[in-house]
Amino acid sequence: CSLQAGLAVLLKAERLFHSSYHSQAVHIRPICRVSHWFAQLPCDRAACLFLAQDASCLPVSWELRQTLTVVFDFFSSGQGKKDWSLFKMFSRTLTDTCPLASQSKVYVDISPKNKEKELLEVSPPPTSVHEAVVQGDKKTYAVYDLLSPSLFNTSRSLNVQLKWKRPQDSSEMPIPTLHAQRYVGGYGLQTGEICTLIYNTHPYRAFPVILLETVPWYLRLYVHTLTIITKGKENKPS
C-alpha cells in the first residue's frame, strides 16, 4: 500500500527526521517450515541445517521484519504539556486500512501513574483494552484495530489523542525501569572514550540488555579496550 493506506500513511519524512530520535531496522532470520509441534520455530542457520539433515525441516522460509522507532519530545517543546495526537506528531491522520494487511493495530499506553485516580484520557474510545506485564510492571493499552469495521464508520479519519486531566502533575516525569545515559569523554584517538551508564530501578528483577551504540564519526573504537563494570566488578559480555 506504500503511503496510500494503512499505518505507513503516518511516515512523513519531514516530521520523522525532525523528531528527537528515530531508528530504522531490518531483521532477517530463517524459519523452518515443518508440519508438527515446532512449526514456525525460529532458529539460526546451524539449527535449521541440523533439522534438515534429520528430515524434519522442510525448505527454509525467510522472515523479514522492518521496524521504525520514533521519539517525540512534546514535554520540552510544548511548554511542559504532555498532550499529544497523531496529527500533532505526524501532521496526518489514519484514513483507511491497507487491504493486504492481516493485522493493523495502534497501541496506546494508558497505564495510570497513580493507582487511585486515572490521570489521562484517550479519544476516540478504543476498540478494545489490552493488559500485559512489561518488565515486571502491569501495563494497560488502548487498542485501535484498523481492521474493525466500526472504527471508520463514525468518522472518515482516526486521530488518536491523549490528554492529561491534571496538567499540574505533568512536570513529574516517571523514571522507567530501564534507562540509560551516555557521554563522550577525553579527546583524540589517545584518550577519547564513550561511557554508557545503564540503570535498572527494579527492586529485585534482572533483565537481559542488548546495547546498540551509534558511534560519532570522529571516534575510532578499539574492541579490545571494551570494559563492562557492574556494581564495581568487571562483567564479561556474551
Side-chain angles (χ1 to χ4, degrees):
C1 290
S2 186
L3 300 179
Q4 305 302 320
L7 297 177
V9 172
L10 302 177
L11 304 185
K12 190 176 181 180
E14 54 265 31
R15 300 294 294 181
L16 299 179
F17 296 146
H18 282 81
S19 60
S20 299
Y21 172 86
H22 70 275
S23 173
Q24 304 176 55
V26 176
H27 304 270
I28 301 177
R29 66 175 180 175
I31 296 181
C32 292
R33 287 183 294 171
V34 291
S35 57
H36 38 90
W37 62 272
F38 51 87
Q40 300 299 321
L41 175 67
C43 58
D44 54 25
R45 187 168 181 82
C48 278
L49 290 177
F50 174 78
L51 291 175
Q53 293 175 358
D54 195 27
S56 300
C57 183
L58 299 178
V60 177
S61 296
W62 291 93
E63 178 190 78
L64 170 64
R65 183 163 58 96
Q66 300 174 338
T67 63
L68 174 64
T69 303
V70 185
V71 176
F72 294 94
D73 187 3
F74 289 119
F75 184 75
S76 60
S77 61
Q79 292 79 38
K81 296 181 180 180
K82 294 191 293 181
D83 300 345
W84 59 264
S85 66
L86 290 182
F87 185 81
K88 187 177 180 180
M89 287 187 290
F90 302 102
S91 296
R92 294 179 179 178
T93 58
L94 296 173
T95 56
D96 199 1
T97 183
C98 179
L100 299 178
S102 59
Q103 180 177 332
S104 185
K105 297 181 180 180
V106 176
Y107 290 83
V108 180
D109 188 353
I110 57 174
S111 305
K113 293 192 303 180
N114 191 333
K115 296 182 179 180
E116 297 179 358
K117 295 181 179 180
E118 294 286 346
L119 297 179
L120 51 85
E121 58 182 358
V122 63
S123 61
T127 54
S128 62
V129 176
H130 176 71
E131 293 185 351
V133 178
V134 180
Q135 297 179 354
D137 296 330
K138 186 178 180 180
K139 295 289 186 178
T140 304
Y141 298 94
V143 183
Y144 295 88
D145 189 357
L146 270 64
L147 299 182
S148 176
S150 59
L151 189 61
F152 294 103
N153 286 346
T154 56
S155 62
R156 295 183 178 181
S157 65
L158 174 63
N159 182 27
V160 180
Q161 303 181 56
L162 187 142
K163 295 183 179 180
W164 289 79
K165 296 181 179 179
R166 297 168 58 185
Q168 63 271 18
D169 293 340
S170 61
S171 59
E172 300 177 2
M173 297 294 291
I175 299 178
T177 302
L178 291 177
H179 63 280
Q181 298 176 355
R182 188 183 73 161
Y183 61 89
V184 178
Y187 58 90
L189 297 179
Q190 183 68 23
T191 61
E193 63 180 7
I194 295 179
C195 296
T196 302
L197 306 178
I198 303 177
Y199 298 92
N200 177 15
T201 60
H202 199 278
Y204 59 87
R205 186 174 177 182
F207 300 97
V209 175
I210 299 178
L211 179 63
L212 175 63
E213 285 279 7
T214 303
V215 182
W217 64 269
Y218 52 83
L219 283 179
R220 179 178 297 176
L221 294 187
Y222 298 94
V223 180
H224 73 279
T225 65
L226 173 66
T227 57
I228 298 179
I229 299 175
T230 304
K231 295 182 179 180
K233 298 181 180 180
E234 187 174 358
N235 185 6
K236 295 293 184 180
S238 58

